[in-house]
Amino acid sequence: MNYAIYVLAVILILFDVITGLLKAIKNHDLDSTILREGLYHKLAEILAMLCPAILYYGAKYTNIDIPFPLPEFVCTYISVMEIVSSIENLCEVNPDLFKLFQPFLKKLKDRGDNDERKGN
């Protein structure tokens, strides 16, 4: 079993928490209720990584056939989500970074808006 993808995803989750705290401190918006809600979301992400891992690696003891690497897919999705969130946090802390990442963030936002209009 390759644990590296899980370690990477957890590190990116922690990085997002740190950048979110930095943003909240900079904006004088540190709120324990929001912090607690965010930590629940991060715990849910970690559990979302564990569930397919258990299913995928336990499938060899059952008749369930999973033809693709489900845990890696989930970890990759969560990792990308955390990278984007961290970039957004850092852009709010330092507007110069926004200039650098704006084209990337705009493409993601435009893509998301198009997916929502299509019903995806």
Side-chain angles (χ1 to χ4, degrees), residues 42-68:
K42 300 307 177 188
L43 181 58
E45 289 175 8
I46 291 170
L47 292 174
M49 290 187 305
L50 289 177
C51 182
I54 292 167
L55 176 63
Y56 188 77
Y57 296 111
K60 62 183 171 187
Y61 303 108
T62 67
N63 290 330
I64 300 171
D65 182 31
I66 302 173
F68 58 93

Side-chain angles (χ1 to χ4, degrees), residues 61-107:
Y61 303 108
T62 67
N63 290 330
I64 300 171
D65 182 31
I66 302 173
F68 58 93
L70 184 61
E72 285 84 356
F73 173 78
V74 173
C75 287
T76 301
Y77 179 83
I78 288 172
S79 294
V80 170
M81 188 173 67
E82 293 304 323
I83 290 168
V84 172
S85 179
S86 296
I87 289 170
E88 290 172 340
N89 290 338
L90 292 171
C91 287
E92 285 195 43
V93 171
N94 183 345
D96 290 334
L97 290 175
F98 181 74
K99 294 174 193 172
L100 175 67
F101 289 113
Q102 181 184 20
F104 171 70
L105 295 173
K106 184 175 177 355
K107 271 188 182 178

Side-chain angles (χ1 to χ4, degrees), residues 17-47:
V17 169
I18 292 167
T19 60
L21 283 171
L22 180 64
K23 178 181 84 171
I25 291 168
K26 186 224 178 229
N27 293 334
H28 305 287
D29 194 26
L30 197 58
D31 182 338
S32 63
T33 302
I34 294 171
L35 178 61
R36 190 170 34 257
E37 190 68 26
L39 291 176
Y40 289 142
H41 290 180
K42 300 307 177 188
L43 181 58
E45 289 175 8
I46 291 170
L47 292 174

